[in-house]
Amino acid sequence: MPGDHIVLELPEELRSELKEPLGPIYTDAEQLLGDATLPIVAVGDIVTYHLLAAGHTPAVALVDERTKRTDVEESVREAVVDESPFEETIAVENPPGTLTDGLLTALQSALEREPAATTLIVVEGEEDLAALPAVLAVAEGASVVYGQPDEGMVLVSADEAARERVRSLLERMDGSHRSVLDAFEG
C-alpha cells in the first residue's frame, strides 16, 4: 500500500509505560457499553469481537487479525472481518510499534465521514498504538476501547486528562509527533 510511511515509532523506553491502562478495565462488554459514550472507536480484534457480540457495532474499529502476536481464532476473524457488519472497510499497512500516515489518515477520514458510516480498518502489521491518536481524534467525551492482554478491555473517555496523557506519550515517540498532534487537534 503506497504512501504508508512511518510517522511515529515507539522507543523501547516507552513500552513499559504503555502497559499502564488509560482507563478502567472491563471483562464484560455489556457493562462497558453501559458506561461508554458514543461514538466508540475499538482498537483490536478481540475487543471488536466482544462489542459486536454484545450487539454494538463501533463507529470505527481497527483490527489486524492477530491477538498477542498470534492469529485470531477463525470464529473471531469470521465475525469481525469475513462477515463484517461495518459499512466500509479500509486496508492499511502499519508495522509493529509504529504509526504510519496510512493508518492515521484512515482513522481521521473514518471519523470525519458524513453521514457517519461504520468503518473497519484492517491493518497489515499491527494496530496496537492506534488507540493513542484515536483518543485525540474522537469528539470530546467519546470513547476509545482497546484490549489489555490477559486482563480485559480498557475504556477511555476522551476527556482532557486522557488527551493530555496521550499527548505526553506521543511527544516522546520517535518521529514527527508535531504533525500528528496538529492533524488530530487542529
Side-chain angles (χ1 to χ4, degrees):
M1 285 155 236
D4 289 343
H5 78 272
I6 294 170
V7 177
L8 289 173
E9 193 161 2
L10 182 66
E12 196 60 44
E13 61 269 15
L14 271 185
R15 291 185 187 276
S16 62
E17 198 171 331
L18 284 177
K19 293 184 190 311
E20 288 297 315
L22 293 170
I25 298 175
Y26 291 77
T27 55
D28 181 274
E30 290 184 18
Q31 183 182 5
L32 181 148
L33 287 167
D35 293 344
T37 304
L38 300 180
I40 293 174
V41 173
V43 178
D45 297 72
I46 304 302
V47 166
T48 303
Y49 176 78
H50 285 298
L51 293 176
L52 293 172
H56 180 78
T57 302
V60 179
L62 296 100
V63 300
D64 61 8
E65 300 181 56
R66 299 180 62 76
T67 184
K68 296 191 280 186
R69 309 275 191 256
T70 62
D71 292 342
V72 294
E73 292 181 18
E74 186 66 23
S75 59
V76 172
R77 190 177 60 72
E78 283 179 7
V80 175
V81 179
D82 295 345
E83 299 166 7
S84 172
F86 294 89
E87 297 165 304
E88 187 161 351
T89 301
I90 301 170
V92 298
E93 286 184 15
N94 195 81
T98 70
L99 291 169
T100 61
D101 60 349
L103 184 143
L104 295 168
T105 300
L107 175 62
Q108 192 169 35
S109 65
L111 287 168
E112 291 174 349
R113 193 160 287 117
E114 291 295 333
T118 58
T119 304
L120 178 67
I121 301 173
V122 180
V123 178
E124 177 68 35
E126 189 178 273
E127 88 299 76
D128 295 9
L129 293 178
L132 298 175
V135 170
L136 297 179
V138 297
E140 177 75 25
S143 300
V144 176
V145 181
Y146 67 90
Q148 187 80 0
D150 301 317
E151 293 187 52
M153 299 170 283
V154 178
L155 173 61
V156 185
S157 175
D159 59 19
E160 192 50 42
R163 289 179 176 185
E164 188 53 43
R165 185 164 170 209
V166 165
R167 279 186 212 101
S168 171
L169 290 166
L170 291 173
E171 287 171 351
R172 290 180 284 146
M173 290 176 72
D174 296 332
S176 183
H177 55 81
R178 186 77 269 160
S179 66
V180 175
L181 294 173
D182 288 347
F184 287 99
E185 296 182 313

